[in-house]
Structure formats: structure tokens, C-alpha cells
Amino acid sequence: MLSGLPMWVERTFSAPRFGPYLNAFPGDWLTAWNLYRWNMEVSAAFYIPLQCLEISLRNAEHDRLRAHYGHDDWWRSAPLGRDQLGKVAKAENDACRKGDRRASPDDIVAELPFGFWASLLNRAHDRYLWVPVLHRAFPGYRGDRETLRDNFRSVVLLRNRIMHHEPIHHRHLTADHDKIYRLLGYIEPEVIVWARASDQVPEVLTRRPQPTPP
């Protein structure tokens, strides 16, 4: 039983799921519960900057690749790996199930996940995608592909934890937040001002629960 908390908390959220929060404040059940709620709040707050980055990355890479290959369904020509081609096939099937017509390239692009677009920066694509095409999707970037890929993979991990309702309170969330905007700046700096106008992450970070006074 989760000591000092209503019984519905354990029935609804389960003691094992509550464990990572209690580990942050051993023996302090009330603050651990407040941390659980705060984790929900900060996860929701990250939705706006993450959405801006995911959409920006998707459209920047898609625009460059379709221009390079000369057709909207560029994945039929690009040297993608088996896992990536599987994601394209799944995206096409998912898009078809949502409508009563054959999925268009735009429908498929909209279904492809954040991780797919980040994976196009992998070392395997250095010669055939990054060098001739994809580096142009990041006009504000002057570093190497590997560093850029690692930064995007970190943000994809954050995004996936949020979407699967997992703890993120243990992460350096201020650094995560800064990284999202840094990556946005590499693609389209002007979107940053627009995104920050609705971004609640900085304010929510100031409300992180503190241990209950003895």
C-alpha cells in the first residue's frame, strides 16, 4: 500500500509504477506523489517545442529529398535500410486505414515517426544522403553529422518517454529544453520566437516539488 495516499492511487497507477518517484524522495510519499503529478505537467509542457522540432525536421528533410530525387515518394529511390523501409511500409498501411483512397506521399510522410527522420542522419547514410542532400536541411548548423545525429537521438528518446507516460523528472530537463531550441535554430530560427510564446516548460520547471519539511 502507498502509505498516506488514497487507495485509488495504488489501484490506478500501481505501486511499481510509483517506484521511480518514491526513489527520488525515499519515505516521503506525499512529495513523491506531487512529483508524479509534476512529471505529468512538465511532460505536457514539452509537447509544443517537441512538436515544432519534429515537424520542422520532417518537412526540412522531406523537401530536400524530394527535390534531390525528383519525386514526392523519394523513399522509392533513396538507399534506405530494411528497418527504415519497414517504417515506410507501416506508415503507408496506417495512412490507408485512415481513408478510403490510396495513401499519397504526403499522407505517408505525416505518418512517419520522429525516429525515422532522425535515423536519416545515421552514419550509414553519410555518403548518399548527408553529403549530397541532407546537410542543406540544416542551414544554421556548422558541425559534423555524428554530433547532430546524437542530439536528435537524445530528443527522440525524450519524446518517446513522454509519449509512453514514463518518468522524465530525473533528466536534465533545462538542458533538454535548450537542446530542442538549438536544433530548431539549425533548421528554421524564425520558428523559435513563435514557439516560445506558448512554451510553458520554463515556468513548470520552477514548480518542481521539493521535499516535505520535517
Side-chain angles (χ1 to χ4, degrees):
M1 182 176 179
L2 299 179
S3 177
L5 298 178
M7 293 187 64
W8 63 263
V9 172
E10 184 170 356
R11 291 197 304 269
T12 304
F13 298 106
S14 81
R17 183 169 176 80
F18 193 69
Y21 303 92
L22 188 58
N23 289 340
F25 297 105
D28 190 344
W29 297 86
L30 178 58
T31 303
W33 174 238
N34 290 335
L35 182 64
Y36 188 101
R37 294 193 301 174
W38 181 84
N39 195 87
M40 290 180 174
E41 293 173 6
V42 76
S43 295
F46 264 101
Y47 182 84
I48 288 177
L50 282 171
Q51 183 185 48
C52 288
L53 180 59
E54 181 171 351
I55 291 174
S56 296
L57 176 66
R58 179 182 76 192
N59 291 337
E61 290 188 333
H62 175 55
D63 287 347
R64 293 296 182 180
L65 288 165
R66 66 180 176 182
H68 179 75
Y69 287 103
H71 49 92
D72 290 346
D73 52 350
W74 51 265
W75 46 84
R76 303 192 188 282
S77 301
L80 301 182
R82 180 181 300 178
D83 181 66
Q84 292 164 326
L85 290 173
K87 285 183 169 62
V88 171
K90 181 180 184 304
E92 184 170 7
N93 289 335
D94 290 346
C96 286
R97 286 200 297 268
K98 291 182 178 180
D100 55 1
R101 56 181 174 77
R102 182 177 180 180
S104 69
D106 282 343
D107 294 331
I108 296 170
V109 166
E111 289 291 332
L112 285 166
F114 194 5
F116 170 85
W117 300 104
S119 76
L120 297 181
L121 302 175
N122 287 350
R123 181 179 300 174
H125 301 307
D126 193 44
R127 181 177 179 183
Y128 297 106
L129 293 183
W130 174 255
V131 173
V133 191
L134 288 182
H135 72 278
R136 298 190 182 94
F138 308 93
Y141 185 64
R142 297 295 178 267
D144 61 273
R145 175 202 50 75
E146 196 78 5
T147 299
L148 184 66
R149 187 280 308 270
D150 289 348
N151 276 268
F152 270 106
R153 288 179 70 176
S154 174
V155 175
V156 169
L157 176 61
L158 171 65
R159 180 263 182 207
N160 289 345
R161 292 192 68 86
I162 288 173
M163 293 302 142
H164 289 92
H165 319 304
E166 296 179 9
I168 63 169
H169 63 84
H170 60 286
R171 294 179 61 104
H172 189 341
L173 294 176
T174 298
D176 286 328
H177 189 250
D178 291 342
K179 183 181 296 183
I180 291 170
Y181 280 99
R182 185 168 66 253
L183 293 172
L184 269 174
Y186 297 153
I187 303 170
E188 180 50 76
E190 293 188 20
V191 76
I192 291 176
V193 175
W194 180 82
R196 285 192 185 278
S198 302
D199 186 354
Q200 299 298 311
V201 171
E203 189 275 329
V204 176
L205 289 177
T206 67
R207 295 192 276 106
R208 182 185 175 92
Q210 300 300 317
T212 303

